[in-house]
Amino acid sequence: MTVPRPRGMTPDADWFGTASEALPDDADQSVLVGRIWDPSVDGPSPVTVRDGEVIDISHRFPTVRDICELPDPAAIVAGLDGPRVGDFDEILANTGAASRGRTRPWLLAPVDLQVLKAAGVTFPISMIERVIEERALGDLLLASDIRRRMLADVGVDLHSLVPGSAEADRLKSLLVAEGMWSQYLEVGIGPDAEIFTKGQILSAVGTAVPVGVLAASTWNNPEPEVTLIVQSSGRIVGATLGNDVNLRDVEGRSALLLPLAKDNNASCALGPLIRLFDERFGMDRVRELEVSLEVRGVDGFLLEAVSEMTRMSRDPEELVRQLIGPHHRYPDGAALMLGTMFAPIQDRDRPGEGFTHKVDDVVRISCPALGTLVNRVWHAEECEPWHFGVRDLMGNLVRRGLL
């Protein structure tokens, strides 16, 4: 399969990195699952990665959803065997190749039937940036001045503020009185979190492929996030990395345009693999993770930052409880992106204009415990179209005798 490219762009052969970078630092002690496209069956297969080898486990579990619904997914996957598909480094290389080999497998996003959800405004820094977007109505130049004035006016340590607390309610009253209240502050420090649908089932892309921003957008950025894998029961069974690509100019015009800002072709990236929870890796580790972001442009621009999960204003398990429970069920589970503290304001071209993507930016989101998710930024209109839906998946599994 040849992936289309924007005119005038030439790919670097190794832009998506190496297998050792893609995998967790302790991959030999991790239980990892993902998905590949297998040309021999013309469809996707769940796999586990063990000792650098990719092992097909579709004969036992036709979907990743089936694995994640098990009572103890990590213990069962760790004991599974199956046909060897190939080396992980070879499959990664084919995934990112400018002309992908049609007869060899490539990586997909590691989830399938899980609904794609995201939590917003879960870090105080990003909360302030959302308010600035709203007040600037998507205008980059106006945002710089508003940022300076607003941070001076708020004048409180938002990091220590507990959403829904009496202190948060007092701050809300103060801001209302001063005409500074915002719907973003409501979900940032109020009792109810912002949890929205990031994309449709099966629409996520994986590592080593493009992510998309609309060609008309003039202010956009990556949102590197830890993503929880949640059973239909609400139990968290694993985690991966995600890029909740966001169009800041669109959302800034109106929060009602959130679907347009968030859900576009190739605008949700997950991967490379799911690390299942076991005795070595669970929620205590997730709460302490640090996620690194690197954006490198063909213009020589470099942006680097680190996000600490300890700085979240809401606990990840609280977000899951707001996502799923007696009030709302997801029979096939969910992938929940936990939000980001990154809202890049580093000037790229001219002073005061801040950051926005350019075509062919390479975005690296990494965490030692989860590996590295790498994507190249293209216009959403020119990314590979999403065409394989739920009906196609079910039909393919029936033809293979797996359903």
Side-chain angles (χ1 to χ4, degrees):
M1 177 179 293
T2 300
V3 181
R5 290 192 55 79
R7 288 184 294 275
M9 298 297 168
T10 56
D12 303 319
D14 59 352
W15 68 269
F16 46 85
T18 65
S20 61
E21 293 168 338
L23 296 173
D25 283 358
D26 57 346
D28 59 334
Q29 302 177 65
S30 307
V31 183
L32 304 169
V33 296
R35 293 166 66 237
I36 61 165
W37 184 271
D38 185 351
S40 69
V41 296
D42 197 28
S45 291
V47 297
T48 185
V49 177
R50 193 180 299 149
D51 298 325
E53 294 187 336
V54 178
I55 299 168
D56 186 337
I57 54 177
S58 62
H59 64 292
R60 286 290 306 277
F61 301 103
T63 68
V64 171
R65 177 267 183 203
D66 293 325
I67 296 170
C68 294
E69 288 294 308
L70 293 168
D72 190 347
I76 294 174
V77 170
L80 286 179
D81 203 358
R84 178 185 176 277
V85 179
D87 291 332
F88 181 79
D89 57 354
E90 295 173 348
I91 294 174
L92 175 66
N94 191 45
T95 305
S99 295
R100 187 178 292 153
R102 287 177 174 271
T103 61
R104 292 176 285 126
W106 58 87
L107 293 171
L108 302 172
V111 300
D112 41 42
L113 295 178
Q114 295 93 338
V115 66
L116 304 177
K117 306 293 284 191
V121 202
T122 56
F123 287 82
I125 292 175
S126 63
M127 176 181 69
I128 291 297
E129 286 301 312
R130 297 289 88 76
V131 177
I132 291 169
E133 286 172 10
E134 180 184 46
R135 289 174 173 268
L137 297 176
D139 187 328
L140 259 173
L141 294 175
L142 184 57
S144 179
D145 182 58
I146 294 174
R147 183 178 297 110
R148 176 184 56 79
R149 290 186 286 108
M150 184 174 180
L151 291 176
D153 288 344
V154 172
V156 298
D157 182 7
L158 292 173
H159 173 60
S160 64
L161 202 63
V162 177
S165 66
E167 182 182 11
D169 192 56
R170 286 194 295 272
L171 175 60
K172 174 179 177 178
S173 298
L174 172 65
L175 293 172
V176 168
E178 295 184 0
M180 290 184 60
W181 187 245
S182 161
Q183 56 202 335
Y184 293 104
L185 290 171
E186 176 65 48
V187 296
I189 64 177
D192 299 315
E194 178 194 22
I195 298 177
F196 57 91
T197 298
K198 171 61 182 176
Q200 302 306 303
I201 292 170
L202 289 174
S203 69
V205 299
T207 197
V209 297
V211 290
V213 300
L214 294 182
S217 174
T218 58
W219 187 18
N220 48 70
N221 62 253
E223 292 193 0
E225 307 184 12
V226 173
T227 303
L228 297 180
I229 307 302
V230 186
Q231 286 185 343
S232 59
S233 65
R235 178 171 165 240
I236 307 165
V237 296
T240 189
L241 294 170
N243 186 353
D244 176 15
V245 181
N246 185 36
L247 309 183
R248 299 187 69 183
D249 49 355
V250 174
E251 186 179 358
R253 283 160 47 205
S254 170
L256 296 179
L257 293 174
L258 186 67
L260 179 61
K262 292 287 189 178
D263 185 5
N264 296 293
N265 191 32
S267 66
C268 176
L270 296 173
L273 303 165
I274 296 170
R275 182 168 183 174
L276 295 173
F277 283 3
D278 56 14
E279 66 278 358
R280 294 183 56 85
F281 183 74
M283 281 308 304
D284 288 342
R285 287 279 305 278
V286 168
R287 291 186 178 95
E288 297 174 352
L289 294 178
E290 292 187 356
V291 178
S292 299
L293 169 70
E294 178 190 281
V295 179
R296 190 176 294 272
V298 293
D299 58 351
F301 176 83
L302 176 64
L303 182 151
E304 295 177 300
V306 176
S307 177
E308 301 171 0
M309 291 291 290
T310 56
R311 299 185 68 83
M312 286 186 67
S313 58
R314 299 182 193 269
D315 186 78
E317 288 186 322
E318 177 197 345
L319 292 171
V320 171
R321 287 192 294 270
Q322 293 206 30
L323 166 73
I324 190 168
H327 64 293
H328 205 309
R329 303 289 189 184
Y330 294 98
D332 296 308
L336 176 61
M337 306 173 85
L338 293 178
T340 184
M341 67 179 289
F342 293 118
I345 60 174
Q346 178 180 332
D347 290 333
R348 182 165 194 173
D349 291 322
R350 290 177 289 276
E353 290 193 0
F355 169 85
T356 194
H357 272 309
K358 293 186 179 182
V359 169
D360 256 18
D361 279 353
V362 173
V363 181
R364 285 182 171 84
I365 298 169
S366 59
C367 172
L370 296 174
T372 303
L373 172 67
V374 187
N375 300 101
R376 193 184 286 270
V377 177
W378 288 0
H379 291 147
E381 296 89 341
E382 299 191 7
C383 291
E384 185 175 0
W386 172 46
H387 56 79
F388 192 86
V390 176
R391 176 62 181 84
D392 299 289
L393 175 61
M394 296 299 106
N396 178 266
L397 296 178
V398 168
R399 290 192 297 274
R400 294 159 61 182
L402 299 178
L403 280 186

